Every structure is written in C-alpha cells, then in structure tokens.
Amino acid sequence: MAKQSRDWTDILVRRGVIGPDQVDEAQRMGDVAEALVKLGYADADEIVKAKAEQHGMPFVELREIEIPTAVIELVPESLARENIVMPLAQENGTIKVIMHDPNAFETIDKLRFVLNREIEVALAPKEAIIEAINRYYGGVTTETESVDSMLQEFTDTAIDYSEDAVGGRSGSSSNILEEGDAPVIKLVHLIIQEAIAMRASDIHIEPFADRIRIRYRIDGVLMERDSPPRRLLGSIISRLKIMGSMDIAEKRRPQDGRIKIFAAGKDVDLRVSILPTNYGQSVVMRILDRDTIKIGLKDLGFGDEDYKKFQQLIKRPNGILLVTGPTGSGKTTTLYAAINELNRPDIKIITVEDPVEYYMPGINQCEVKPKIGMTFARIIRAMLRQNPNILLVGEIRDEETANTAIQASLTGHLVFSTLHTNDAPGAVTRLVDIGVQPFLVASSVMAVLAQRLVRKVCPKCRQRIEPPAHLLKGIGLRPEIAKKANFMKGKGCSNCNKTGYRGRMGIYELMLMNGTIREMAFKGETAVAIRKVARKQGMRTLFEDGLIKALRGLTTVEEVLRITQQG
C-alpha cells in the first residue's frame, strides 16, 4: 500500500470541490464525509476519489466496467454482501477487491484468511458497490430478464395474453416475484422494479388507439419507455388491480388502491389511481419510498437564514404554519421532516391526511373517508379531544376545515397544513376568499412557506460554465456578481440518464407574519400589497432563492426559470 498523502479534505479543497469553511461546517456535524454529502457540498464519488489519492489506491468506476464471471465466482455472495466488497480482478495469486473504506483493515485480513489469497484494494462509493453486488450476484430475484427483453419477447411472439393469464396462483396477494410466474406478472413487477431503480416518483401507463405508453416521472420530468403491445393492456390492468385489491370487473368508474411490494431491495408502497379513458383504463402509480420521510430539515435545501427561522417556527407552542405550492412541489416531505424533528416521547402528534402517504412510527395518523362522514373538519374536532400538542392537517380545502384548524391553533395547539397557492402572500388572501374571517387569519397564522422543487446538477458530469450574457441580463444579474458565481451544468452521463441533472432540492419563500402584515390581513389588503411589504421587510422570493442556488452551482439558471416561470 502506498504512503498516505495529505488528508482527503485537503485534497478536495485543493481541487476546488469544497472550501475550508464548508469543511469546518461538516466537522461540527460529526461524520465529515456524510455531512458533506448531506449538505450538497460534495458527492460520494468525489469523496472516495480523494480518499483513494490520500491512500495511494486506485478508484474504480463500477457503473462503467464489466467484471468477468470467473472473477465474481472467486468471492462467495455471502462474503461480498456481509463486508460490502466486490472482486475486480485476479493476477498471480492476488485478488483485487473493491471496498469503500480504505481503513477497513479487519475486513482485508478476513478476506485474506477466507480466500487464502493476497488482497489488493481499490475504492468505490458504498452505494455503487451494493448496486454492483445486486447486479452480479442477483438482487431481490434471480431473474435475468429486463423490461426491454420481455417487451421484445411479447412483440416477437404475438401471443395473446388474456386477462385469465393473471389469475390462479399468481393472482394471490404475494407481491414478490417467483419462479414460474406468468409473463405479464413478471413484466408488471419488472416495470415497477425498474422505475424504483431509476428513482422515479410516478409510473404512468396510458392506453392509445395503437399502443400503450409507459412513462416514468424522474426528478419531476416524464421520461418515456418502450411501449408494450396494445393487446397486453387488459392483462396489465388486471394484474395491477389484483395487487392493489381493486375490483377487476369494474371498468367504467375510477378506482384507487394501494400496493405494497418488495422491489429493488426494499419495501415500497405504491398509491394506484385508475381512470377510464376513450381507449381503455389509464393507470398512474405514485411510488412512496419510505426513505423519503427520513430526510432531515437541513437536507431539504433551506438557506441558512430560512433554516434558522423555520426551526424557530416549528418549536412555537401554538399557531398555524402553512406550506403552499402546486401538487408535487414537496409540501408533504417538508411537513414530515418538521414532524420527524418534533417527534419525541413527551409530545403527542396527530395527523389527518387524504390519504395517509407514509406511515410514521410514534405518530397517530388518521385518513379522510368522506363516504362514512370522516371529513377533515370532523376528524380535527375529534382530534382535539385526544389532547394533542401538534396537529398536521393534510390540506385546507374549504371553509369548515380552515375554521376548525384555526380554532385549534387559537386553543393552544401547533397546527401544520398545506394550501394550493402560487406564493406565500397569496395564502393570506386565499383563506379570506374561502370564508375565514380576516381577524382570525391575522391572529392565527404565524408564517407561510411557499416552495418548489428544482433539479440538481449531476455531481458526476458537472462542469463550470459561463451562461450567455443575454440570459444574465434578462434575470437582472449584475456582471460583478456573475463573475464571482460558480455556475455549473451537467454534460450528461450514465449517472443522470444523459439529462445533466440528478436529484432535486427545494427553493423557498418564507413570509413571517409580523405586526404590519397582520394589520394588512385584518384590513383585507390584496396579495400584491402584502407581497410588496414582505419584500421590503426581507422576504426572499422563490426566484431569488433559486438564483442563489444556481450561483453556487447546485442547479442551473434555466432550471430556476423553468420552475418559477420567469424570463
């Protein structure tokens, strides 16, 4: 093993990936590598490359190489999984293995003893090694088929799979792929598994006159997959209905269901919506990954100033905090992150949702069921008799729900809820529009947080760029600020599906209700007037927050303009 050079954080600073201040911030949080990734300052690949340089070890890009089967067979699967190692090559009685920790000397000694060979170490990120182990040794299933190969088989054979093909044993409640399952069952499972592996948030299955269109929503943008033959529509829909405990015979009315499945190495919930259209039933499946709710407030994308303000808000004893934005803007994730932070044995938290998306330990969650009279307002009234400290109301849709939530906040409860408005000031006037008295709005609402999600620049293929002068001029960015900026753009690679983006982060507009704004709300002033005053008092707009993140190289100016609809 080569002699160690300087510390790996010094190497990252020298390469310009991070600055000394960012290192200090990460050190205060504990595990430096984990903190740098969470804060978005560096990605796992960059950190492991720096560690490889520090220890004089090679870095391996696992996604871009093929390891021969003969080499894989040298290390048993149990040994590879238990120690998170991958064999890479063998030469002259020495096995080169890939690890993520250069200081795991006990693991190296164990491998040397078990394999009875000399061991050489190369480095790769932990996630890439686990992904390679699943790929080469087999993940959740021993099947070697892919969606592409199955679709090709269906297209070539022209076999007619009727709806009976999904009945029998394979129509049972088991949502784990097994040997001998019908081809359509395998196809449905593989579509779901592929979507999860590609980090999709939704799967769309849409029927047309001559084909079925399958699309995945990845980082908020729909991406089309290959189309199955039209004749498979009935079988695919029937299989999904069986998995979601829905009525197979009902084809004229919309249906909703929920699927629990083990795919891509984890338990995942899918919320299924079926809608009859001209050419058959259309399906949208929302993928509810339980790992999403484990995210902390700091990881959402708050700026330092907004983060401190938000932390103070969620620790107040009473009042309403509203989170606004369109569907799919991350409102639920933000509220769950806040609830997670407050979830302690000495605090009672109750939620009312439509439907309950994520099940959270230690929290009482209720689901709206209008058919039996379980409405938002009725549940909130019942919740107050349960003596909670904090209430989460999934959405304020009408006057009754709004008034009940406000009364809860005025009787000493902290209430979190969402509202569909374009910006933060608009939430105040929306509450008045749906029938809440202005004096109640002024006295109960303590802050409004508007948010959107922007795509992050891919950490693997990002490169520094100089945006066109006309673009900078169009957004009103002064040349002296532009010169100091760190504009980045992804050129496209396998890590980001050639899009240049991977993952998303929030941009925020936080309006605190101070004396002036409360008085304006009481007088029934317009959203435009409230916005002007809030801006004068320091409120940063969605566009400005997004632009700050673009200046830091976390996203692009084009992405911010696309999401905030400016320019």
Side-chain angles (χ1 to χ4, degrees), residues 11 48 128 187 220 231 264 284 399 417 479-480 482 534 544:
I11 294 169
V48 176
L187 175 63
R231 66 181 183 277
V284 175
E399 181 185 352
S417 191
E480 59 270 24
E544 288 166 349

Side-chain angles (χ1 to χ4, degrees), residues 4-58:
Q4 290 189 18
S5 66
R6 68 179 78 187
D7 187 79
W8 61 268
T9 54
D10 295 334
I11 294 169
L12 286 177
V13 172
R14 174 168 52 83
R15 290 177 180 172
V17 176
I18 56 175
D21 292 343
Q22 293 170 331
V23 176
D24 292 341
E25 184 182 350
Q27 285 172 342
R28 288 195 295 271
M29 294 176 66
D31 187 312
V32 179
E34 187 179 317
L36 286 172
V37 173
K38 273 188 175 181
L39 293 168
Y41 295 149
D43 66 90
D45 278 20
E46 289 168 332
I47 290 170
V48 176
K49 281 177 184 174
K51 288 182 177 180
E53 182 178 325
Q54 177 194 4
H55 292 270
M57 297 175 175

Side-chain angles (χ1 to χ4, degrees), residues 338-356:
I339 290 289
N340 262 333
E341 192 132 326
L342 300 169
N343 188 12
R344 301 195 307 268
D346 60 325
I347 291 178
K348 175 151 185 168
I349 302 172
I350 308 181
T351 76
V352 49
E353 303 168 64
D354 182 21
V356 173

Side-chain angles (χ1 to χ4, degrees), residues 437-454:
Q437 292 296 323
F439 74 89
L440 288 175
V441 176
S443 57
S444 62
V445 177
M446 56 183 182
V448 183
L449 178 75
Q451 71 174 75
R452 301 287 189 278
L453 293 175
V454 293

